[in-house]
Amino acid sequence: MNRFEAIVQSLSRGCNRIAQGAVVAMMLVVAANIVFRAFLRPFLFTYDVVMLLCSVVVAFALGYCAIQGGHVHVELFVQRLPPRAQAIIGSITGILGFCLFTMIAWQCCVYGTDIWRSGEVSMSVRIPLFPFIYGVGFGCAVLALAVLLDLIKSLTKVVRE
């Protein structure tokens, strides 16, 4: 368990660093576009690059946010239940969440392959879209692992209590 937890935490931390780099890149592109717009001509690729980097930011930050407990939890009702009932509800939501994000990751891979084969690119700069779709799938897979980690912890609480 400790090894799996360390792997998931390390993977989510690495993905979060990629997301942080994408935020910095977005900031630099937008700031440079503003400067160039004032003095010369604006960049034609700003919209495409920011859109694609935004997908990287969101997808690669999901797992780290889940590890840190940053997602919204509605605990008004659940926290009033006994610990075992809380663990059971956590297990049910963990199973549903793991299945959901595993299916999303899988379908992103299927869709990314379709886009790769069709040769679809962004509008203005013609950047291939499939790596970003695969990136969203990878981010969802990391989130699924983080949810699986929470599921294992919840199931452990169910058995112990």
Side-chain angles (χ1 to χ4, degrees), residues 22-43 45-47 49-50 53:
V23 168
V24 170
M26 280 179 17
M27 178 195 65
L28 292 174
V29 167
V30 170
N33 187 45
I34 290 168
V35 170
F36 274 80
R37 182 180 298 248
F39 297 109
L40 300 170
R41 295 176 61 177
F43 296 142
F45 60 85
T46 301
Y47 178 77
V49 170
V50 169
L53 286 174

Side-chain angles (χ1 to χ4, degrees), residues 6 13 21 31 35 43 56 59 61 80 87 89 110 113 118 130 137 139 145 147:
R13 225 179 352 264
V35 170
F43 296 142
V56 172
R80 295 174 190 217
I89 291 173
V110 170
T113 302
S118 71
F130 72 90
L145 290 175
V147 170

Side-chain angles (χ1 to χ4, degrees), residues 118-130:
S118 71
E120 200 166 322
V121 294
S122 66
M123 290 186 297
S124 61
V125 214
R126 306 191 53 80
I127 299 170
L129 296 176
F130 72 90

